[in-house]
Every structure is written in structure tokens, then in C-alpha cells.
């Protein structure tokens, strides 16, 4: 039979065509930030739970309470769950919602960076410290001064400097900070104005704060014009990641409501970054989020989808697939279900 997908329901067809299996199924995990430390892959995911909160555009249904760190010695090897690494009840300034975290390593200490709503329900970014990559992590008493919004991504440049990329619109509240100070009514730009940008800041020497005021990251088209707010298939929404390949800086991100992972390249950590294309076409589930690492001379994309939960948007599972470059440095688009695609 030529096309047996017609015989089963569309969700099952997507699942059976998936190019990767979930890395773990005993807990729900999302937003994987992967790093290679001491020859092992450490993954810092969100830990999704069903808190029984109805879905809305603010993302209230993503009511996560703790983090687990996962690790593995090889890409297809056994995955170790190191247990609770940080819990919301141990963070003095906590309100609610531990969203996408990332980690960094300097001078034998490990730093976990996490977004969390404070007691005023405003997203800030906190930091917690450990002697071990898997934690447990001890949180600093206050969020990072000058931090806002969500989705911190930590990037160590070749000169040893660390940078944090961050931000996310809609429920990530970035629109409320666009003009430099907090405005709860959060105006969005008009369709023909530049899209709301993510931000980047160099970290201080002690890794516990910013060494500078965060700067907007501009993503431009090939003519050098900033991507517009109306350009929802290409503009930034959330989920920053930065990696370097052949001395080029690759800034990648999610387009949110159009469900793509895209990337743009530049010549320095601050940009501007020139839009290049799509890394991952839509997955099952509303959100898409990722990290990119090199391990044993191959490149990998860590991402998530909602196959295990039967499509429940707030219950995701992380996966990994090989990522390939073309000779000109562009990235080959990955289709998570082969020739099939969820319809939005
Ligand atoms: O996990 C909660 C939020 O969903 C993340 O912070 C976003 O990037 C999206 O994946």
C-alpha cells in the first residue's frame, strides 16, 4: 500500500512518522537547554506539570514548580534524571511559573538562570549556584538587577565572556518593557514598525549579574531592514539560543504563533543578525523551543513536542535530532514528522 497514513488518524500518523523519540517519558520536559560539560551532555529543561489551569494567551497553564537536570553520556545513550535541582518554594522572591532555564559554568561553579514571576506577577530572571552541573542549586535572594521577561540563554564566547540573550512577547511580557521601563498595558508596535526585539547583556565577572544595560538585538533581512511586527513567520517571539559555527554567530529563536524555529547570523555577539531561514518546521503543540550543541563532531538540535501527552500544549517532551549545515554555512531545515506536518 502506497500511503497507509490515510488509514489512521492524523495525530497517530504524525507520531508514527516522527524522526525522533522522546528522551524521557517518566516526567514531562520542555525548552531543553543542552551543554557539554566534562564529556557529558547536560540538559536543563522546564519540568511541565498539569496544574489544572485553563489555557490562555498569558501562558497561565504553564505553571511549573521545579527543575530537574537530565544528563547522558551519548546521544542515544541512557538518560539520567538527577532529581529536583531547584524548587520554587526555595526561591525567596518567588511568585509563580518557573519557565525556560539555562545554565553556565565558570571556574568550577555552575549557574542556573531561570525566569519566574515575582510577587507582583512580573517576570524577572534569577540565578542559582551549585558546585555540580546537576545541582542542587542555591538561589540568590533577589532576581538579577535590571532583568526582565523570560527565556534566558547563556552563551560563552571564544574569549571566555558570557552573554545572556533573553525575552519573549505575549505571556513573556517583553512588550511591557519595549520603551525601557515597565508598562503593564504593554503596547505592541504597529504592523509596519520593527518587531519587538530580544535583548542581550554581557554577564558580570561573578556571573550573578549584568555587566551592562541589556541591549536590543536587531534581526534584519538581507537588505538590512529590521524584520517588521507583521512578519510573523520570521520575527522573534521567544526562545533565544546562540551558538557559534566556523566563527559565525548563529542566533536562533521561535516565531511563537507561527510555530517555527528560525535563525539569523552575524559577526559578533550583539548583532545585527541577518535572517537566514527555518531550522525546524512546526511540532505538535503550540510552543517550539530548542538548543543547538556540537558533540563528538556532530551537531544536534534539542527540541520538544507534545506527542506523549496526546497534544496537550502544556505537557511537552524533549527530543534530539542531528542538525546539518550546507557547505555555505546555512542550516538544513528539519521536518520533525518527515513529509507530514501539524496543521495550524
Ligand atoms: O515553558 C514555558 C514557555 O513556553 C517558555 O518559556 C517558552 O519559550 C515556551 O516554550
Amino acid at each position: 500500500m502506497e500511503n497507509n497514513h490515510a488509514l489512521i488518524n492524523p495525530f497517530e500518523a504524525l507520531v508514527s512518522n516522527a524522526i525522533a523519540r522522546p528522551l524521557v517519558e517518566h516526567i514531562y520536559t520542555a525548552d531543553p537547554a543542552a551543554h557539554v560539560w566534562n564529556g557529558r551532555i547536560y540538559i536543563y529543561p522546564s519540568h511541565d506539570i498539569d496544574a489544572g489551569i485553563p489555557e490562555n494567551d498569558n501562558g497561565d497553564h504553564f505553571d511549573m514548580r521545579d527543575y530537574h537536570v537530565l544528563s547522558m553520556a551519548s546521544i542515544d545513550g541512557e538518560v539520567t534524571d538527577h532529581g529536583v535541582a531547584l524548587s520554587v518554594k526555595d526561591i525567596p522572591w518567588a511568585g509563580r511559573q518557573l519557565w525556560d532555564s539555562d545554565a553556565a559554568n565558570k571556574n568550577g561553579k555552575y549557574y542556573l538562570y531561570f525566569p519566574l514571576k515575582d510577587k507582583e506577577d512580573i517576570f524577572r530572571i534569577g540565578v542559582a549556584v551549585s558546585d555540580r552541573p546537576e545541582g542542587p542549586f542555591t538561589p540568590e535572594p533577589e532576581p538579577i538587577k535590571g532583568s526582565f521577561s523570560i527565556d534566558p540563554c547563556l552563551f560563552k564566547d571564544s574569549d571566555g565572556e558570557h552573554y545572556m540573550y533573553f525575552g519573549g512577547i505575549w505571556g513573556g511580557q517583553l512588550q511591557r518593557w519595549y520603551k525601557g521601563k515597565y508598562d503593564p498595558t504593554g503596547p505592541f508596535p504597529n504592523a509596519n514598525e520593527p518587531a519587538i526585539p530580544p535583548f542581550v547583556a554581557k554577564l558580570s565577572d561573578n556571573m550573578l549579574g549584568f555587566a551592562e544595560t541589556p541591549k536590543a538585538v536587531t534581526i534584519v533581512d538581507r537588505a538590512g531592514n529590521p524584520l517588521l511586527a507583521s512578519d510573523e513567520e520570521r520575527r522573534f517571539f521567544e526562545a533565544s539560543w546562540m551558538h557559534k559555527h566556523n566563527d559565525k554567530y548563529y542566533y536562533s529563536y521561535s516565531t511563537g504563533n507561527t510555530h517555527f524555529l528560525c535563525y539569523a547570523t552575524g559577526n559578533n555577539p550583539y548583532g545585527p543578525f541577518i535572517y537566514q531561514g527555518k531550522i525546524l518546521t512546526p511540532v505538535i503543540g503550540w510552543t517550539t523551543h530548542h538548543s543547538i550543541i556540537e558533540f563528538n563532531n556532530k551537531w544536534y538540535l534539542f527540541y520538544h513536542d507534545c506527542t506523549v501527552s496526546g497534544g496537550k500544549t502544556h505537557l511537552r517532551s524533549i527530543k534530539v535530532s542531528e542538525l546539518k549545515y550546507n557547505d555555505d554555512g546555512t542550516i538544513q531545515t528539519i521536518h520533525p514528522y518527515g513529509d507530514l506536518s501539524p496543521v495550524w
Side-chain angles (χ1 to χ4, degrees):
M1 180 153 316
E2 277 280 320
N3 180 3
N4 61 5
H5 294 146
L7 300 177
I8 46 184
N9 79 47
F11 180 83
E12 290 307 324
L14 288 164
V15 173
S16 66
N17 232 31
I19 61 168
R21 309 297 315 152
L23 288 180
V24 292
E25 296 199 29
H26 66 291
I27 55 171
Y28 288 109
T29 53
D31 311 327
H35 292 276
V36 180
W37 285 322
N38 315 320
R40 202 171 165 86
I41 301 170
Y42 287 90
I43 309 166
Y44 299 83
S46 301
H47 176 197
D48 285 354
I49 54 165
D50 195 350
I53 297 173
E55 190 167 331
N56 60 28
D57 280 353
N58 278 335
D60 287 340
H61 47 306
F62 295 106
D63 191 22
M64 295 86 107
R65 315 268 163 89
D66 63 26
Y67 294 112
H68 286 223
V69 178
L70 308 178
S71 74
M72 48 202 209
S74 64
I75 277 293
D76 42 18
E78 195 187 326
V79 180
T80 304
D81 175 354
H82 296 276
V84 174
L86 178 66
S87 175
V88 73
K89 64 180 169 35
D90 298 324
I91 303 170
W93 55 275
R96 59 182 180 135
Q97 296 184 291
L98 281 172
W99 283 13
D100 159 57
S101 65
D102 195 6
N105 153 25
K106 184 175 175 184
N107 297 338
K109 293 252 184 240
Y110 294 84
Y111 300 85
L112 181 69
Y113 299 87
F114 56 90
L116 175 67
K117 283 181 181 160
D118 65 13
K119 296 185 194 304
E120 264 83 62
D121 231 27
I122 300 172
F123 266 119
R124 307 279 180 178
I125 296 172
V127 56
V129 188
S130 177
D131 292 328
R132 305 159 64 91
E134 69 271 28
F137 291 86
T138 306
E140 289 291 295
E142 304 283 343
I144 292 176
K145 199 162 176 258
S147 70
F148 51 92
S149 196
I150 60 166
D151 289 5
C153 153
L154 273 295
F155 167 68
K156 182 182 184 180
D157 206 347
S158 321
D159 62 2
E161 294 288 0
H162 286 85
Y163 297 84
M164 183 193 291
Y165 297 82
F166 62 94
I169 62 173
W170 294 20
Q173 304 182 343
L174 185 56
Q175 66 280 0
R176 302 183 184 182
W177 294 91
Y178 187 41
K179 301 277 183 201
K181 63 179 177 40
Y182 185 73
D183 173 359
T185 59
F188 284 92
N190 292 322
N192 59 354
E193 291 178 332
I196 295 174
F199 281 76
V200 60
K202 189 186 277 189
L203 288 197
S204 55
D205 252 9
N206 68 3
M207 302 292 279
L208 301 178
F210 294 151
E212 60 188 0
T213 304
K215 297 172 167 53
V217 172
T218 309
I219 305 168
V220 298
D221 62 19
R222 282 176 196 281
N225 301 312
L227 299 187
L228 300 181
S230 57
D231 192 352
E232 296 186 353
E233 289 227 342
R234 300 194 300 171
R235 62 94 173 90
F236 166 81
F237 188 98
E238 63 186 4
S240 292
W241 188 256
M242 171 59 74
H243 75 280
K244 218 169 164 179
H245 171 67
N246 285 345
D247 288 332
K248 271 228 168 300
Y249 293 80
Y250 286 68
Y251 174 72
S252 49
Y253 56 95
S254 159
T255 63
N257 57 319
T258 51
H259 318 287
F260 294 108
L261 290 178
C262 292
Y263 73 108
T265 57
N267 296 319
N268 70 78
Y270 294 105
F273 299 102
I274 303 172
Y275 180 86
Q276 298 293 343
K278 295 181 170 69
I279 295 175
L280 186 73
T281 54
V283 292
I284 295 173
W286 198 93
T287 67
T288 186
H289 196 125
H290 68 301
S291 59
I292 296 169
I293 59 165
E294 186 178 19
F295 186 66
N296 290 345
N297 301 317
K298 285 186 168 185
W299 287 86
Y300 295 96
L301 177 78
F302 287 77
Y303 58 102
H304 68 224
D305 74 7
C306 299
T307 48
V308 177
S309 68
K312 292 196 181 98
T313 279
H314 61 295
L315 297 177
R316 302 161 290 180
S317 302
I318 61 169
K319 296 181 155 186
V320 61
S321 293
E322 191 176 347
L323 174 144
K324 293 186 174 155
Y325 297 90
N326 297 309
D327 290 345
D328 64 0
T330 54
I331 291 175
Q332 295 179 10
T333 305
I334 296 171
H335 300 281
Y337 314 101
D339 56 346
L340 300 180
S341 194
V343 178
W344 287 99

